[in-house]
Amino acid sequence: MPKFLLRIQFDGRNFCGSQMQKNGRTVQGELRRTLGRIFGTFSDLAGCSRTDSGVHALDYCVSFAAETRMDCSMIQKALNANLSADLAVVQVLLVPENFHARYDVVSKEYVYRIRISPVRSPFWEGLALQDVYSADLGQLNRGASLLVGTHDFSSFMAAGSKITDPVRTVVSAGFERNGDLLLFRVRADGFLYHMVRIMVGTLLAVPRKYPAEQIRLILQGKNRKLAGPTAPACGLYLEHVFYDRI
Amino acid sequence: MPKFLLRIQFDGRNFCGSQMQKNGRTVQGELRRTLGRIFGTFSDLAGCSRTDSGVHALDYCVSFAAETRMDCSMIQKALNANLSADLAVVQVLLVPENFHARYDVVSKEYVYRIRISPVRSPFWEGLALQDVYSADLGQLNRGASLLVGTHDFSSFMAAGSKITDPVRTVVSAGFERNGDLLLFRVRADGFLYHMVRIMVGTLLAVPRKYPAEQIRLILQGKNRKLAGPTAPACGLYLEHVFYDRI
């Protein structure tokens, strides 16, 4: 049975996250309903990761298998005509039958958007963290650079998380400024629960609370209490999912 | 009694336009309710113009008078704390007592956003016209330039409009490209009903339907039927209101 990969975008404001839930509207719930309408039956629906309520995606990946004669372009059109406006299919690819949207992930990149302004904007409501803090990019990036590499990220994992191996490899991490927006981009082979949001909350506190070098001590301490607050979900976007085979 | 000018932004998606209405949520209705809560009584509430349902504003101006000891900064904070998330006060200014947000307008600038992409985006839903048309900027701007100047804009006025003097002076009009976005910006001393939207609908049709020079004939014909379709409200933003005295 042919297998497909969907690269989708969604505005997370009206979703209770990506993962199927009994109550609450989810990305997977919305996809399941629409795939059912188009294909009748389908199988092996898998998402590349679990995103929290209010988190957005510029490139969330989903794989599924379905018996169909439609080509990728027809599937894309059919899905986009049936999905709600806050979810769009950007690309459909035919993938090997044993492909899995989650197990085949090589790395993922997130971007966190912070809007630096004393006044809130109606156009960024729920789409960025609003902050008055005018950041020193050099200092922020000195802190961020200390997160790059293979580390035990226990200090950057939500308390109560059941993960047994908290070692991850961060490939790149850094801030850039774009007009009113301060962007934090981080790429890693995997992320612990709330890892990006704790990174952002901690790095934004660096110039006010710690010297950048403190980040190293926070990592070494392997204790969530040493790091800063968890930044809100609204600023977080899954920006790109990297695979090897496609 | 001191008079104030509010420069506000609003996301027009959940508003039935700016003007007060019996039924339906409007920008003026929302402001009225909030001003009443903050000042008790106020008078002379006036908006700079009437915007349609679904039209957005980056700089909509409102004047009102109120007996208060609050300074501009306090008024701004009080309003932003009480207004809904899709409306924000960017600036509060003390203005002369005989100032009027509408009668004192010298000119206004609108921007119309067109997103050029074969796939819709969840993040631009209701915030831009989606079009697959890849425009030739030179040709579009040749058409736009013919609209600049003092003309009878009857051909660019919604049919059934009751305006008796359809002469307006367009100060500037042109397209620019910014990534996926095609922006049409137009500044004039005043606008007829649906004028910007008919301009956009007509100019986008130029390379497909008319040579740019046709714009001159459409103007000269003074007949709505000669021009192109009315572009949808979702792409339109009131971008700046110009006053002389402040």
Side-chain angles (χ1 to χ4, degrees):
Chain A
M1 189 151 47
K3 199 157 202 179
F4 299 96
L5 176 73
L6 309 177
R7 289 192 176 270
I8 69 175
Q9 295 193 338
F10 58 83
D11 175 340
R13 286 180 288 188
N14 293 318
F15 287 111
C16 300
S18 56
Q19 206 73 0
M20 201 69 188
Q21 280 182 23
K22 262 205 173 157
N23 306 307
R25 184 175 175 252
T26 67
V27 173
Q28 225 178 82
E30 182 85 16
L31 280 171
R32 232 174 231 292
R33 202 172 45 78
T34 310
L35 290 171
R37 194 185 294 167
I38 294 171
F39 297 106
T41 58
F42 60 93
S43 62
D44 296 353
L45 184 68
C48 64
S49 64
R50 219 179 151 126
T51 61
D52 280 335
S53 186
V55 170
H56 317 286
L58 301 169
D59 180 32
Y60 185 90
C61 293
V62 175
S63 56
F64 70 97
E67 209 55 81
T68 178
R69 289 188 174 182
M70 289 199 270
D71 67 14
C72 291
S73 158
M74 285 164 73
I75 293 174
Q76 186 185 9
K77 278 193 189 116
L79 281 166
N80 281 333
N82 282 283
L83 287 166
S84 64
D86 52 4
L87 213 165
V89 178
V90 177
Q91 200 181 17
V92 179
L93 293 167
L94 192 64
V95 288
E97 281 191 38
N98 62 352
F99 181 89
H100 190 284
R102 183 158 138 234
Y103 302 142
D104 280 353
V105 170
V106 173
S107 64
K108 285 181 291 189
E109 187 162 283
Y110 282 90
V111 62
Y112 194 97
R113 288 182 164 153
I114 302 141
R115 191 171 167 271
I116 306 292
S117 170
V119 186
R120 62 182 174 76
S121 159
F123 299 100
W124 284 102
E125 186 64 30
L127 294 174
L129 168 64
Q130 172 87 21
D131 202 343
V132 292
Y133 169 59
S134 177
D136 175 68
L137 263 191
Q139 203 164 13
L140 287 172
N141 278 326
R142 219 161 33 248
S145 70
L146 297 171
L147 296 171
V148 176
T150 303
H151 303 289
D152 179 324
F153 282 98
S154 294
S155 297
F156 294 88
M157 177 170 74
S161 199
K162 301 259 181 316
I163 299 284
T164 50
D165 178 13
V167 174
R168 297 289 182 275
T169 298
V170 170
V171 181
S172 58
F175 287 86
E176 62 188 274
R177 188 77 191 246
N178 184 0
D180 279 353
L181 291 180
L182 177 68
L183 306 172
F184 173 66
R185 245 187 209 96
V186 57
R187 179 174 169 183
D189 62 350
F191 291 90
L192 304 168
Y193 193 48
H194 284 179
M195 183 164 146
V196 184
R197 291 165 57 188
I198 300 170
M199 282 178 167
V200 171
T202 306
L203 290 167
L204 287 182
V206 157
R208 284 175 283 199
K209 204 171 158 190
Y210 335 105
E213 290 63 32
Q214 189 79 12
I215 296 292
R216 205 191 308 272
L217 296 176
I218 295 171
L219 269 176
Q220 285 167 1
K222 296 172 197 171
N223 180 347
R224 171 69 188 89
K225 288 179 182 152
L226 297 173
T230 306
C234 63
L236 188 60
Y237 294 70
L238 176 54
E239 196 177 33
H240 196 62
V241 183
F242 296 87
Y243 294 103
D244 221 12
R245 299 200 283 166
I246 57 165
Chain B
M1 189 151 46
K3 200 156 201 179
F4 299 95
L5 176 72
L6 309 177
R7 290 193 176 268
I8 69 176
Q9 295 192 338
F10 57 84
D11 174 341
R13 285 179 290 188
N14 294 318
F15 287 110
C16 300
S18 55
Q19 205 74 1
M20 201 68 189
Q21 279 182 23
K22 261 205 174 157
N23 306 307
R25 184 174 174 251
T26 67
V27 173
Q28 225 178 81
E30 182 84 16
L31 279 171
R32 233 173 229 293
R33 200 171 48 77
T34 310
L35 289 171
R37 195 185 296 166
I38 293 172
F39 297 107
T41 57
F42 61 93
S43 62
D44 296 353
L45 184 68
C48 63
S49 64
R50 219 179 149 125
T51 61
D52 281 335
S53 186
V55 170
H56 317 285
L58 301 169
D59 179 31
Y60 185 91
C61 293
V62 176
S63 56
F64 70 97
E67 210 54 81
T68 178
R69 290 187 174 183
M70 289 198 272
D71 66 14
C72 290
S73 159
M74 286 164 73
I75 294 174
Q76 186 186 9
K77 280 195 188 113
L79 281 167
N80 281 333
N82 282 285
L83 287 165
S84 65
D86 51 4
L87 212 164
V89 178
V90 176
Q91 200 181 17
V92 180
L93 293 167
L94 193 64
V95 288
E97 281 193 36
N98 63 351
F99 181 90
H100 190 283
R102 184 159 137 233
Y103 302 143
D104 281 353
V105 170
V106 173
S107 64
K108 285 180 289 188
E109 187 162 283
Y110 282 90
V111 62
Y112 194 96
R113 287 183 164 152
I114 303 141
R115 190 172 167 271
I116 307 292
S117 169
V119 186
R120 62 182 173 77
S121 158
F123 299 100
W124 284 102
E125 187 65 30
L127 294 174
L129 168 65
Q130 171 87 22
D131 202 343
V132 292
Y133 169 58
S134 177
D136 175 68
L137 263 191
Q139 204 163 13
L140 287 172
N141 278 326
R142 219 161 33 249
S145 70
L146 297 171
L147 296 171
V148 176
T150 303
H151 304 289
D152 180 325
F153 282 98
S154 295
S155 297
F156 294 88
M157 177 170 75
S161 199
K162 302 258 182 314
I163 300 285
T164 50
D165 178 12
V167 174
R168 296 289 182 276
T169 299
V170 170
V171 181
S172 59
F175 288 86
E176 64 189 271
R177 187 78 189 246
N178 184 1
D180 280 353
L181 291 181
L182 177 67
L183 305 172
F184 173 67
R185 246 189 209 93
V186 58
R187 179 174 169 182
D189 63 351
F191 291 89
L192 303 168
Y193 193 48
H194 284 179
M195 183 162 146
V196 184
R197 292 165 57 186
I198 299 170
M199 282 178 167
V200 171
T202 306
L203 290 167
L204 287 183
V206 158
R208 285 174 283 200
K209 204 172 160 191
Y210 334 106
E213 289 64 34
Q214 189 79 12
I215 296 292
R216 205 191 309 274
L217 297 177
I218 294 172
L219 268 176
Q220 286 167 1
K222 297 173 197 171
N223 181 347
R224 172 67 188 92
K225 287 179 182 152
L226 297 174
T230 306
C234 64
L236 188 60
Y237 294 69
L238 175 54
E239 196 177 32
H240 196 62
V241 183
F242 297 87
Y243 294 103
D244 222 11
R245 300 200 282 166
I246 56 167

